Amino acid sequence: MGIVSGLVLFAVIWSMTFLVALPIRVQTQGDMGEIVPGTHAGAPEHHHLGRKALWTTLVAAIIWAICATIILSGWISVADIEGWLHPNAAPANGTGG
Protein backbone atom coordinates (compact mmCIF):
# COMPACT_ATOMS: atom_id res chain seq x y z
CA MET A 1 0.00 0.00 0.00
CA GLY A 2 1.44 3.33 -1.07
CA ILE A 3 1.17 6.70 0.64
CA VAL A 4 -1.74 7.86 -1.51
CA SER A 5 -3.59 4.57 -0.97
CA GLY A 6 -3.09 4.91 2.77
CA LEU A 7 -4.41 8.48 2.75
CA VAL A 8 -7.44 7.52 0.67
CA LEU A 9 -8.15 4.59 3.01
CA PHE A 10 -7.91 6.92 6.02
CA ALA A 11 -10.21 9.50 4.36
CA VAL A 12 -12.85 6.85 3.61
CA ILE A 13 -12.67 5.41 7.14
CA TRP A 14 -12.77 8.91 8.67
CA SER A 15 -15.81 9.90 6.58
CA MET A 16 -17.73 6.75 7.45
CA THR A 17 -16.88 7.12 11.14
CA PHE A 18 -17.92 10.78 11.12
CA LEU A 19 -21.27 9.95 9.53
CA VAL A 20 -21.86 7.41 12.30
CA ALA A 21 -20.87 9.94 14.98
CA LEU A 22 -22.96 12.86 13.69
CA PRO A 23 -26.32 11.93 15.27
CA ILE A 24 -24.80 11.05 18.66
CA ARG A 25 -25.72 13.50 21.47
CA VAL A 26 -27.35 16.07 19.17
CA GLN A 27 -29.70 18.42 21.01
CA THR A 28 -32.37 19.79 18.70
CA GLN A 29 -34.25 23.05 18.96
CA GLY A 30 -37.33 21.04 19.89
CA ASP A 31 -35.43 19.38 22.76
CA MET A 32 -34.25 22.76 24.05
CA GLY A 33 -37.70 24.32 23.70
CA GLU A 34 -36.34 27.32 21.76
CA ILE A 35 -37.51 26.95 18.16
CA VAL A 36 -36.37 29.78 15.89
CA PRO A 37 -39.24 30.91 13.66
CA GLY A 38 -38.89 29.54 10.14
CA THR A 39 -36.79 26.53 11.16
CA HIS A 40 -37.70 22.92 11.83
CA ALA A 41 -37.96 21.72 15.43
CA GLY A 42 -35.46 18.97 14.54
CA ALA A 43 -32.74 21.47 13.59
CA PRO A 44 -29.66 21.02 15.79
CA GLU A 45 -29.11 23.51 18.59
CA HIS A 46 -25.94 21.97 20.09
CA HIS A 47 -24.08 19.64 17.73
CA HIS A 48 -20.57 19.43 19.31
CA LEU A 49 -18.86 19.17 15.89
CA GLY A 50 -15.36 19.93 17.16
CA ARG A 51 -15.47 17.19 19.78
CA LYS A 52 -17.00 14.76 17.29
CA ALA A 53 -14.27 15.52 14.74
CA LEU A 54 -11.57 14.86 17.36
CA TRP A 55 -13.11 11.57 18.49
CA THR A 56 -13.69 10.58 14.85
CA THR A 57 -10.02 11.18 14.08
CA LEU A 58 -8.89 9.05 17.03
CA VAL A 59 -11.26 6.18 16.24
CA ALA A 60 -10.51 6.34 12.51
CA ALA A 61 -6.76 6.23 13.21
CA ILE A 62 -7.20 3.04 15.24
CA ILE A 63 -9.40 1.42 12.58
CA TRP A 64 -6.97 2.54 9.85
CA ALA A 65 -4.00 1.06 11.74
CA ILE A 66 -5.80 -2.28 12.00
CA CYS A 67 -6.72 -2.26 8.29
CA ALA A 68 -3.22 -1.17 7.22
CA THR A 69 -1.66 -3.90 9.33
CA ILE A 70 -3.87 -6.54 7.73
CA ILE A 71 -3.19 -5.24 4.21
CA LEU A 72 0.57 -4.83 4.61
CA SER A 73 1.10 -8.14 6.41
CA GLY A 74 -0.72 -10.12 3.74
CA TRP A 75 -2.95 -11.94 6.24
CA ILE A 76 -5.84 -11.42 3.84
CA SER A 77 -5.12 -11.04 0.13
CA VAL A 78 -7.26 -10.25 -2.89
CA ALA A 79 -7.12 -13.96 -3.82
CA ASP A 80 -8.59 -14.85 -0.41
CA ILE A 81 -11.49 -12.45 -0.92
CA GLU A 82 -12.11 -13.80 -4.43
CA GLY A 83 -12.19 -17.31 -2.97
CA TRP A 84 -14.79 -16.24 -0.40
CA LEU A 85 -16.98 -14.51 -2.98
CA HIS A 86 -16.69 -17.18 -5.69
CA PRO A 87 -15.88 -20.48 -3.98
CA ASN A 88 -16.53 -22.65 -7.06
CA ALA A 89 -14.36 -20.61 -9.44
CA ALA A 90 -11.10 -22.00 -10.79
CA PRO A 91 -7.94 -20.82 -9.05
CA ALA A 92 -6.37 -17.73 -10.60
CA ASN A 93 -2.83 -19.13 -10.51
CA GLY A 94 -2.36 -22.33 -12.47
CA THR A 95 -4.49 -24.41 -14.82
CA GLY A 96 -6.87 -25.73 -12.21
CA GLY A 97 -6.16 -29.37 -12.69
Side-chain angles (χ1 to χ4, degrees):
M1 175 170 57
I3 293 174
V4 175
S5 302
L7 290 174
V8 169
L9 180 63
F10 182 78
V12 169
I13 292 172
W14 191 92
S15 301
M16 291 175 56
T17 307
F18 191 64
L19 288 175
V20 168
L22 274 178
I24 297 173
R25 292 185 53 189
V26 171
Q27 295 174 340
T28 63
Q29 291 181 11
D31 294 339
M32 303 299 290
E34 301 173 5
I35 301 172
V36 177
T39 62
H40 192 273
E45 182 69 27
H46 299 290
H47 43 70
H48 312 288
L49 279 181
R51 195 176 317 163
K52 286 180 185 180
L54 176 67
W55 276 105
T56 298
T57 304
L58 294 173
V59 170
I62 293 169
I63 295 171
W64 178 84
I66 292 169
C67 291
T69 301
I70 291 171
I71 291 169
L72 292 174
S73 69
W75 290 339
I76 299 174
S77 66
V78 175
D80 293 333
I81 296 172
E82 283 291 324
W84 298 334
L85 296 176
H86 308 289
N88 297 327
N93 53 356
T95 60

